[in-house]
Each structure stands twice: as C-alpha cells, then as structure tokens.
Amino acid sequence: DGGITQSPKYLFRKEGQNVTLSCEQNLNHDAMYWYRQDPGQGLRLIYYSQIVNDFQKGDIAEGYSVSREKKESFPLTVTSAQKNPTAFYLCASSTGTLQQTQYFGPGTRLLVL
Amino acid sequence: GIQVEQSPPDLILQEGANSTLRCNFSDSVNNLQWFHQNPWGQLINLFYIPSGTKQNGRLSATTVATERYSLLYISSSQTTDSGVYFCAAANQAGTALIFGKGTTLSVSS
C-alpha cells in the first residue's frame, strides 16, 4: 500500500533533550512537509522540502531541524531550543510544489515530561 | 500573508441532516484545499479546489475565487462525518498552505 508513515505514535521528551520524529513515504512524491498542530488550532508549517538535499523554513522553524538525504524520508528533530514542544506533529507529501494536493501521515504526539 | 477564516467554529447535527461549512480567504489563491481530521488525528484530503465546483459522493465543494470564499456541503450526514474540517489556502506569492482554525462537526444518531 502506498502512503505516509510516521513513528513513533507517541513520544516523550525530557527537558534539554533532542528528539527525532520519523516520516517516510512510498508515494514517489518530490515534496515533503512538517506541520505542528496545537489543541483547537489549525496546522502551522515548520519546514518543507521540494527536492532531495534541499529544504526551507516555514513559519515556525525556530527550535526545529530537518534533513532530506533520501526522497522517501524527511525526519524532524525537535531540539532543546524549542521551549514549548508539546504538540501533534504531522508530516505530509505532494507530487510537486505547494500548489498541489497534500497527503498526510497519521501524526506523532510529543509530550514533555 | 493570506488569512483564512472558517465558520461556524462548531456544528452539531442529527444524522441525516445537511450542512454547509464556509471558508473565507483574504487574497486571491491558486491553491485551496479542504481536509477532514478524524477523532484519531488523521487528516484526509477531501478536495483540491482553487476554483469551481467538485462533488464526491455526499460531499461537494464550491470555490468562488473572485469573491474569496469556498463552501463545503455535506448532505445526509452520518456519524462517521464527525471530526474537524479544515480549509487551507495559498497564493502565488506564498510559500505555505495557511490553515484555518477548523469547524468541529458532531453528528449524533
């Protein structure tokens, strides 16, 4: 089955710790995105990548980092610099630029201990 | 940047009722999408509709780009339609899809 997988489903972070969220797609999509969703809110873009080895900051990139070494994978690291990391993180992909239909993974819930 | 506003924020329906959700945007768009987020958080793309009308089963959507709004129609609602419906838009100058805050729909049997 083609789709987007995210792992883990739940993640707990201790103060001062970096954690990495996984996102993999087998849709052969060029573009991938990371969004953050807070309770009762819409999604906000953290980072996006339109091609391997290239990525751009979204609206709320501070405290996050990404890499795009393979077309299928776009991991997100939540660093200790992100002071309020508790949120629901969603990964998406599309065939091309932002002007395309986006498909989402099931999400990762990050909680700070 | 572009602003997206959705209404109503909450909607409660009996099974079988029809509903209309609205999305207003502040600038011309070349990307307008409707999504449904189920109670487990999964987002499903419903429509890619920067202009015109589309239908998929009991759901249909219309975007009037010149008047800067889009409507999502749900007919004969079912309990499985419950969840949050998001509208997201981008213009040609934008680098991101901007999401509205969503409409939370609850359908009871």
Side-chain angles (χ1 to χ4, degrees):
Chain A
D1 284 335
I4 303 173
T5 57
Q6 292 186 241
S7 62
K9 191 171 183 178
Y10 296 94
L11 187 57
F12 299 93
R13 193 191 94 163
K14 295 180 180 179
E15 292 288 341
Q17 187 180 42
N18 292 355
V19 292
T20 298
L21 284 60
S22 169
C23 177
E24 304 276 334
Q25 55 97 2
N26 61 5
L27 300 168
N28 200 32
H29 285 171
D30 288 315
M32 296 186 73
Y33 316 85
W34 274 105
Y35 292 91
R36 168 179 172 142
Q37 185 179 25
D38 293 286
Q41 301 295 315
L43 282 66
R44 292 181 292 168
L45 184 67
I46 305 172
Y47 269 97
Y48 67 99
S49 168
Q50 294 180 290
I51 196 169
V52 174
N53 291 324
D54 187 45
F55 49 83
Q56 286 79 39
K57 293 182 179 180
D59 297 328
I60 56 166
E62 185 174 352
Y64 300 97
S65 65
V66 293
S67 62
R68 186 86 187 276
E69 297 177 1
K70 298 186 298 183
K71 187 176 184 178
E72 305 80 27
S73 179
F74 191 40
L76 173 74
T77 296
V78 184
T79 74
S80 57
Q82 172 49 244
K83 298 305 178 188
N84 185 22
T86 296
F88 187 45
Y89 291 87
L90 288 151
C91 178
S93 70
S94 65
T95 54
T97 68
L98 284 160
Q99 280 68 41
Q100 298 288 340
T101 299
Q102 292 191 16
Y103 299 90
F104 282 80
T108 293
R109 294 191 186 276
L110 175 61
L111 299 171
V112 176
L113 299 177
Chain B
I2 191 169
Q3 296 180 345
V4 178
E5 294 184 356
Q6 293 185 244
S7 60
D10 300 284
L11 192 55
I12 300 174
L13 299 174
Q14 286 285 332
E15 202 168 26
N18 301 329
S19 61
T20 301
L21 283 59
R22 187 176 179 104
C23 172
N24 292 331
F25 40 92
S26 62
D27 199 355
S28 58
V29 297
N30 59 358
N31 187 339
L32 191 291
Q33 299 184 37
W34 283 97
F35 297 89
H36 174 226
Q37 187 171 40
N38 67 23
W40 297 271
Q42 177 73 56
L43 268 161
I44 302 297
N45 185 284
L46 299 175
F47 294 104
Y48 173 84
I49 187 166
S51 64
T53 297
K54 291 186 178 179
Q55 181 159 5
N56 184 4
R58 296 181 296 103
L59 273 60
S60 65
T62 295
T63 297
V64 184
T66 54
E67 297 187 22
R68 299 182 183 173
Y69 72 88
S70 182
L71 301 174
L72 178 68
Y73 304 97
I74 304 174
S75 64
S76 304
S77 58
Q78 301 176 357
T79 56
T80 52
D81 294 331
S82 296
V84 184
Y85 289 81
F86 288 105
C87 168
N91 57 21
Q92 196 155 6
T95 57
L97 270 181
I98 304 300
F99 280 75
K101 292 188 176 181
T103 292
T104 300
L105 175 64
S106 299
V107 181
S108 57
S109 57

